[in-house]
Amino acid sequence: LLVLNLLSQLIITMSLVLGTAITTSSNHWMMIWIGLELNTLAILVIIMKPKHPRSTEAAVKYFLTQTIASTMVLCAGTINATQTGQWNASMMTNKYACTMLLLALTIKLGTIPTYFWLPEVMQATSMTTALIIATWQKIAPISVMYATHNHLPQNMMMTIGLSSIIIGGLGGINQTQLRKLMAFSSMMNLGWTLTAFSISPNTATINIIFYMIMLIPSFTLMKKMSLKTMQNLTTTWTTSPLANTLLTLLFLSLSGLPPLTGFIPKIMILNELIMQNLTPVATTTAMMSLISLFFYIRTAFITTL
């Protein structure tokens, strides 16, 4: 039984890695779609592993949103292929197909306008699964966006990015559940990434990599300390002061507070925006990130009580 359990875990992990690898390394729309579907099916098994009604509900929500997004990706590729005769991802020239692709990728990532599934799914899963959804599951859509960024509608991408920063910040203010808080934090950071993608995809990729690197120890510490709500944070200082200090620094780093690590990609994005004569966008982005800075500092303050 133990061997079967280990074997099933290995197959699921391999499917998850393989799905992302197929999507990131493919140029053909059909292969990209297959990779996304394989990735979705693997994570569904992981979400449903705890035998709990909330896990089942989260799996259904995740399945419906991701299936709609995958269908839109395939539909965008088909529309472009009928117009141009090309199934190559770098040959996206049809503007309707490009708009549909951008909307499909925003559903996949969990940003504006279809972000509702992300906090609910992350809250209903275990801390490890929430970490996978917030990090690994973002790699495939981001790679598709990177491959097609020249053809995606720039103004629309920037608007979605700015809206995600605002909604991510406002949504996180009233949260007491840490996994929901991290979901809104993920949305806000993806807002920064989308804003930067329209002008400098390399900087946007650096931003998302930095964010994922900081999320892994944050979720690991929360899991080790059995933290689920803000109230749990108030009692951790007495039991594990070192882990508590590390978590505080990680939260402040995620907020982009200088001189911590999270500040580096944000200053790079602001610099790129100003270099492109988009100073109003840079100002708005910086001002809106103050909302998220508030809830991060509040969380950091609670941990040190």
mmCIF file with all atom_site columns, all heavy atoms in Angstrom, residues 229-245:
data_model
loop_
_atom_site.group_PDB
_atom_site.id
_atom_site.type_symbol
_atom_site.label_atom_id
_atom_site.label_alt_id
_atom_site.label_comp_id
_atom_site.label_asym_id
_atom_site.label_entity_id
_atom_site.label_seq_id
_atom_site.pdbx_PDB_ins_code
_atom_site.Cartn_x
_atom_site.Cartn_y
_atom_site.Cartn_z
_atom_site.occupancy
_atom_site.B_iso_or_equiv
_atom_site.pdbx_formal_charge
_atom_site.auth_seq_id
_atom_site.auth_comp_id
_atom_site.auth_asym_id
_atom_site.auth_atom_id
_atom_site.pdbx_PDB_model_num
ATOM 1   N N   . THR A 1 229 ? -4.524 31.467 10.416 1.00 0.00 ? 229 THR A N   1
ATOM 2   C CA  . THR A 1 229 ? -5.189 32.776 10.506 1.00 0.00 ? 229 THR A CA  1
ATOM 3   C C   . THR A 1 229 ? -4.251 33.806 11.127 1.00 0.00 ? 229 THR A C   1
ATOM 4   O O   . THR A 1 229 ? -3.193 33.453 11.662 1.00 0.00 ? 229 THR A O   1
ATOM 5   C CB  . THR A 1 229 ? -6.465 32.694 11.372 1.00 0.00 ? 229 THR A CB  1
ATOM 6   O OG1 . THR A 1 229 ? -6.068 32.350 12.717 1.00 0.00 ? 229 THR A OG1 1
ATOM 7   C CG2 . THR A 1 229 ? -7.443 31.653 10.853 1.00 0.00 ? 229 THR A CG2 1
ATOM 8   N N   . MET A 1 230 ? -4.695 35.053 11.073 1.00 0.00 ? 230 MET A N   1
ATOM 9   C CA  . MET A 1 230 ? -3.930 36.152 11.684 1.00 0.00 ? 230 MET A CA  1
ATOM 10  C C   . MET A 1 230 ? -3.806 35.932 13.193 1.00 0.00 ? 230 MET A C   1
ATOM 11  O O   . MET A 1 230 ? -2.797 36.274 13.792 1.00 0.00 ? 230 MET A O   1
ATOM 12  C CB  . MET A 1 230 ? -4.653 37.482 11.441 1.00 0.00 ? 230 MET A CB  1
ATOM 13  C CG  . MET A 1 230 ? -4.525 37.965 10.018 1.00 0.00 ? 230 MET A CG  1
ATOM 14  S SD  . MET A 1 230 ? -2.958 38.775 9.741  1.00 0.00 ? 230 MET A SD  1
ATOM 15  C CE  . MET A 1 230 ? -3.396 39.853 8.417  1.00 0.00 ? 230 MET A CE  1
ATOM 16  N N   . GLN A 1 231 ? -4.849 35.369 13.776 1.00 0.00 ? 231 GLN A N   1
ATOM 17  C CA  . GLN A 1 231 ? -4.858 35.141 15.224 1.00 0.00 ? 231 GLN A CA  1
ATOM 18  C C   . GLN A 1 231 ? -3.743 34.183 15.643 1.00 0.00 ? 231 GLN A C   1
ATOM 19  O O   . GLN A 1 231 ? -3.144 34.348 16.710 1.00 0.00 ? 231 GLN A O   1
ATOM 20  C CB  . GLN A 1 231 ? -6.223 34.575 15.639 1.00 0.00 ? 231 GLN A CB  1
ATOM 21  C CG  . GLN A 1 231 ? -6.495 34.746 17.129 1.00 0.00 ? 231 GLN A CG  1
ATOM 22  C CD  . GLN A 1 231 ? -7.915 34.401 17.505 1.00 0.00 ? 231 GLN A CD  1
ATOM 23  O OE1 . GLN A 1 231 ? -8.685 33.950 16.674 1.00 0.00 ? 231 GLN A OE1 1
ATOM 24  N NE2 . GLN A 1 231 ? -8.271 34.612 18.758 1.00 0.00 ? 231 GLN A NE2 1
ATOM 25  N N   . ASN A 1 232 ? -3.444 33.200 14.784 1.00 0.00 ? 232 ASN A N   1
ATOM 26  C CA  . ASN A 1 232 ? -2.351 32.254 15.080 1.00 0.00 ? 232 ASN A CA  1
ATOM 27  C C   . ASN A 1 232 ? -1.005 32.969 15.169 1.00 0.00 ? 232 ASN A C   1
ATOM 28  O O   . ASN A 1 232 ? -0.112 32.522 15.902 1.00 0.00 ? 232 ASN A O   1
ATOM 29  C CB  . ASN A 1 232 ? -2.253 31.173 14.004 1.00 0.00 ? 232 ASN A CB  1
ATOM 30  C CG  . ASN A 1 232 ? -3.499 30.303 13.909 1.00 0.00 ? 232 ASN A CG  1
ATOM 31  O OD1 . ASN A 1 232 ? -3.849 29.850 12.835 1.00 0.00 ? 232 ASN A OD1 1
ATOM 32  N ND2 . ASN A 1 232 ? -4.187 30.081 15.017 1.00 0.00 ? 232 ASN A ND2 1
ATOM 33  N N   . LEU A 1 233 ? -0.862 34.054 14.412 1.00 0.00 ? 233 LEU A N   1
ATOM 34  C CA  . LEU A 1 233 ? 0.417  34.782 14.382 1.00 0.00 ? 233 LEU A CA  1
ATOM 35  C C   . LEU A 1 233 ? 0.752  35.418 15.727 1.00 0.00 ? 233 LEU A C   1
ATOM 36  O O   . LEU A 1 233 ? 1.920  35.619 16.048 1.00 0.00 ? 233 LEU A O   1
ATOM 37  C CB  . LEU A 1 233 ? 0.377  35.878 13.309 1.00 0.00 ? 233 LEU A CB  1
ATOM 38  C CG  . LEU A 1 233 ? 0.431  35.435 11.837 1.00 0.00 ? 233 LEU A CG  1
ATOM 39  C CD1 . LEU A 1 233 ? 0.099  36.598 10.931 1.00 0.00 ? 233 LEU A CD1 1
ATOM 40  C CD2 . LEU A 1 233 ? 1.796  34.872 11.476 1.00 0.00 ? 233 LEU A CD2 1
ATOM 41  N N   . THR A 1 234 ? -0.285 35.744 16.506 1.00 0.00 ? 234 THR A N   1
ATOM 42  C CA  . THR A 1 234 ? -0.055 36.458 17.779 1.00 0.00 ? 234 THR A CA  1
ATOM 43  C C   . THR A 1 234 ? 0.632  35.585 18.825 1.00 0.00 ? 234 THR A C   1
ATOM 44  O O   . THR A 1 234 ? 1.239  36.097 19.755 1.00 0.00 ? 234 THR A O   1
ATOM 45  C CB  . THR A 1 234 ? -1.385 36.982 18.354 1.00 0.00 ? 234 THR A CB  1
ATOM 46  O OG1 . THR A 1 234 ? -2.287 35.875 18.476 1.00 0.00 ? 234 THR A OG1 1
ATOM 47  C CG2 . THR A 1 234 ? -2.003 38.050 17.474 1.00 0.00 ? 234 THR A CG2 1
ATOM 48  N N   . THR A 1 235 ? 0.537  34.265 18.662 1.00 0.00 ? 235 THR A N   1
ATOM 49  C CA  . THR A 1 235 ? 1.101  33.355 19.682 1.00 0.00 ? 235 THR A CA  1
ATOM 50  C C   . THR A 1 235 ? 2.435  32.722 19.266 1.00 0.00 ? 235 THR A C   1
ATOM 51  O O   . THR A 1 235 ? 3.018  31.961 20.034 1.00 0.00 ? 235 THR A O   1
ATOM 52  C CB  . THR A 1 235 ? 0.090  32.230 19.993 1.00 0.00 ? 235 THR A CB  1
ATOM 53  O OG1 . THR A 1 235 ? -0.232 31.568 18.762 1.00 0.00 ? 235 THR A OG1 1
ATOM 54  C CG2 . THR A 1 235 ? -1.172 32.772 20.630 1.00 0.00 ? 235 THR A CG2 1
ATOM 55  N N   . THR A 1 236 ? 2.900  33.020 18.070 1.00 0.00 ? 236 THR A N   1
ATOM 56  C CA  . THR A 1 236 ? 4.103  32.326 17.576 1.00 0.00 ? 236 THR A CA  1
ATOM 57  C C   . THR A 1 236 ? 5.409  32.895 18.130 1.00 0.00 ? 236 THR A C   1
ATOM 58  O O   . THR A 1 236 ? 6.411  32.197 18.156 1.00 0.00 ? 236 THR A O   1
ATOM 59  C CB  . THR A 1 236 ? 4.167  32.377 16.033 1.00 0.00 ? 236 THR A CB  1
ATOM 60  O OG1 . THR A 1 236 ? 4.024  33.739 15.621 1.00 0.00 ? 236 THR A OG1 1
ATOM 61  C CG2 . THR A 1 236 ? 3.085  31.525 15.416 1.00 0.00 ? 236 THR A CG2 1
ATOM 62  N N   . TRP A 1 237 ? 5.385  34.145 18.541 1.00 0.00 ? 237 TRP A N   1
ATOM 63  C CA  . TRP A 1 237 ? 6.625  34.782 19.004 1.00 0.00 ? 237 TRP A CA  1
ATOM 64  C C   . TRP A 1 237 ? 7.227  34.051 20.207 1.00 0.00 ? 237 TRP A C   1
ATOM 65  O O   . TRP A 1 237 ? 8.441  33.906 20.323 1.00 0.00 ? 237 TRP A O   1
ATOM 66  C CB  . TRP A 1 237 ? 6.361  36.252 19.344 1.00 0.00 ? 237 TRP A CB  1
ATOM 67  C CG  . TRP A 1 237 ? 7.592  36.969 19.804 1.00 0.00 ? 237 TRP A CG  1
ATOM 68  C CD1 . TRP A 1 237 ? 7.907  37.346 21.066 1.00 0.00 ? 237 TRP A CD1 1
ATOM 69  C CD2 . TRP A 1 237 ? 8.701  37.363 18.992 1.00 0.00 ? 237 TRP A CD2 1
ATOM 70  N NE1 . TRP A 1 237 ? 9.130  37.963 21.097 1.00 0.00 ? 237 TRP A NE1 1
ATOM 71  C CE2 . TRP A 1 237 ? 9.640  37.981 19.842 1.00 0.00 ? 237 TRP A CE2 1
ATOM 72  C CE3 . TRP A 1 237 ? 8.992  37.251 17.638 1.00 0.00 ? 237 TRP A CE3 1
ATOM 73  C CZ2 . TRP A 1 237 ? 10.846 38.489 19.365 1.00 0.00 ? 237 TRP A CZ2 1
ATOM 74  C CZ3 . TRP A 1 237 ? 10.200 37.768 17.159 1.00 0.00 ? 237 TRP A CZ3 1
ATOM 75  C CH2 . TRP A 1 237 ? 11.103 38.371 18.021 1.00 0.00 ? 237 TRP A CH2 1
ATOM 76  N N   . THR A 1 238 ? 6.376  33.575 21.095 1.00 0.00 ? 238 THR A N   1
ATOM 77  C CA  . THR A 1 238 ? 6.861  32.898 22.311 1.00 0.00 ? 238 THR A CA  1
ATOM 78  C C   . THR A 1 238 ? 7.408  31.498 22.021 1.00 0.00 ? 238 THR A C   1
ATOM 79  O O   . THR A 1 238 ? 8.327  31.044 22.684 1.00 0.00 ? 238 THR A O   1
ATOM 80  C CB  . THR A 1 238 ? 5.719  32.786 23.346 1.00 0.00 ? 238 THR A CB  1
ATOM 81  O OG1 . THR A 1 238 ? 4.571  32.255 22.668 1.00 0.00 ? 238 THR A OG1 1
ATOM 82  C CG2 . THR A 1 238 ? 5.373  34.137 23.945 1.00 0.00 ? 238 THR A CG2 1
ATOM 83  N N   . THR A 1 239 ? 6.829  30.824 21.010 1.00 0.00 ? 239 THR A N   1
ATOM 84  C CA  . THR A 1 239 ? 7.239  29.433 20.729 1.00 0.00 ? 239 THR A CA  1
ATOM 85  C C   . THR A 1 239 ? 8.436  29.336 19.793 1.00 0.00 ? 239 THR A C   1
ATOM 86  O O   . THR A 1 239 ? 9.303  28.487 19.981 1.00 0.00 ? 239 THR A O   1
ATOM 87  C CB  . THR A 1 239 ? 6.063  28.640 20.132 1.00 0.00 ? 239 THR A CB  1
ATOM 88  O OG1 . THR A 1 239 ? 5.538  29.371 19.017 1.00 0.00 ? 239 THR A OG1 1
ATOM 89  C CG2 . THR A 1 239 ? 4.960  28.429 21.162 1.00 0.00 ? 239 THR A CG2 1
ATOM 90  N N   . SER A 1 240 ? 8.471  30.186 18.762 1.00 0.00 ? 240 SER A N   1
ATOM 91  C CA  . SER A 1 240 ? 9.591  30.109 17.800 1.00 0.00 ? 240 SER A CA  1
ATOM 92  C C   . SER A 1 240 ? 9.986  31.510 17.320 1.00 0.00 ? 240 SER A C   1
ATOM 93  O O   . SER A 1 240 ? 9.560  31.952 16.253 1.00 0.00 ? 240 SER A O   1
ATOM 94  C CB  . SER A 1 240 ? 9.204  29.217 16.619 1.00 0.00 ? 240 SER A CB  1
ATOM 95  O OG  . SER A 1 240 ? 7.910  29.547 16.173 1.00 0.00 ? 240 SER A OG  1
ATOM 96  N N   . PRO A 1 241 ? 10.782 32.210 18.109 1.00 0.00 ? 241 PRO A N   1
ATOM 97  C CA  . PRO A 1 241 ? 11.154 33.594 17.765 1.00 0.00 ? 241 PRO A CA  1
ATOM 98  C C   . PRO A 1 241 ? 11.946 33.735 16.462 1.00 0.00 ? 241 PRO A C   1
ATOM 99  O O   . PRO A 1 241 ? 11.742 34.679 15.705 1.00 0.00 ? 241 PRO A O   1
ATOM 100 C CB  . PRO A 1 241 ? 11.974 34.070 18.961 1.00 0.00 ? 241 PRO A CB  1
ATOM 101 C CG  . PRO A 1 241 ? 12.319 32.849 19.730 1.00 0.00 ? 241 PRO A CG  1
ATOM 102 C CD  . PRO A 1 241 ? 11.305 31.823 19.406 1.00 0.00 ? 241 PRO A CD  1
ATOM 103 N N   . LEU A 1 242 ? 12.842 32.762 16.181 1.00 0.00 ? 242 LEU A N   1
ATOM 104 C CA  . LEU A 1 242 ? 13.663 32.849 14.964 1.00 0.00 ? 242 LEU A CA  1
ATOM 105 C C   . LEU A 1 242 ? 12.798 32.716 13.711 1.00 0.00 ? 242 LEU A C   1
ATOM 106 O O   . LEU A 1 242 ? 12.900 33.528 12.770 1.00 0.00 ? 242 LEU A O   1
ATOM 107 C CB  . LEU A 1 242 ? 14.754 31.767 14.979 1.00 0.00 ? 242 LEU A CB  1
ATOM 108 C CG  . LEU A 1 242 ? 15.693 31.749 13.750 1.00 0.00 ? 242 LEU A CG  1
ATOM 109 C CD1 . LEU A 1 242 ? 16.485 33.045 13.643 1.00 0.00 ? 242 LEU A CD1 1
ATOM 110 C CD2 . LEU A 1 242 ? 16.631 30.556 13.807 1.00 0.00 ? 242 LEU A CD2 1
ATOM 111 N N   . ALA A 1 243 ? 11.940 31.688 13.695 1.00 0.00 ? 243 ALA A N   1
ATOM 112 C CA  . ALA A 1 243 ? 11.033 31.477 12.554 1.00 0.00 ? 243 ALA A CA  1
ATOM 113 C C   . ALA A 1 243 ? 10.100 32.673 12.386 1.00 0.00 ? 243 ALA A C   1
ATOM 114 O O   . ALA A 1 243 ? 9.801  33.089 11.265 1.00 0.00 ? 243 ALA A O   1
ATOM 115 C CB  . ALA A 1 243 ? 10.221 30.204 12.767 1.00 0.00 ? 243 ALA A CB  1
ATOM 116 N N   . ASN A 1 244 ? 9.691  33.236 13.508 1.00 0.00 ? 244 ASN A N   1
ATOM 117 C CA  . ASN A 1 244 ? 8.805  34.402 13.492 1.00 0.00 ? 244 ASN A CA  1
ATOM 118 C C   . ASN A 1 244 ? 9.487  35.610 12.867 1.00 0.00 ? 244 ASN A C   1
ATOM 119 O O   . ASN A 1 244 ? 8.888  36.319 12.049 1.00 0.00 ? 244 ASN A O   1
ATOM 120 C CB  . ASN A 1 244 ? 8.393  34.718 14.928 1.00 0.00 ? 244 ASN A CB  1
ATOM 121 C CG  . ASN A 1 244 ? 7.068  35.428 14.982 1.00 0.00 ? 244 ASN A CG  1
ATOM 122 O OD1 . ASN A 1 244 ? 6.971  36.563 14.577 1.00 0.00 ? 244 ASN A OD1 1
ATOM 123 N ND2 . ASN A 1 244 ? 6.058  34.742 15.474 1.00 0.00 ? 244 ASN A ND2 1
ATOM 124 N N   . THR A 1 245 ? 10.745 35.831 13.224 1.00 0.00 ? 245 THR A N   1
ATOM 125 C CA  . THR A 1 245 ? 11.524 36.951 12.668 1.00 0.00 ? 245 THR A CA  1
ATOM 126 C C   . THR A 1 245 ? 11.711 36.773 11.163 1.00 0.00 ? 245 THR A C   1
ATOM 127 O O   . THR A 1 245 ? 11.565 37.735 10.390 1.00 0.00 ? 245 THR A O   1
ATOM 128 C CB  . THR A 1 245 ? 12.905 37.031 13.370 1.00 0.00 ? 245 THR A CB  1
ATOM 129 O OG1 . THR A 1 245 ? 12.701 37.040 14.773 1.00 0.00 ? 245 THR A OG1 1
ATOM 130 C CG2 . THR A 1 245 ? 13.664 38.292 12.958 1.00 0.00 ? 245 THR A CG2 1
#
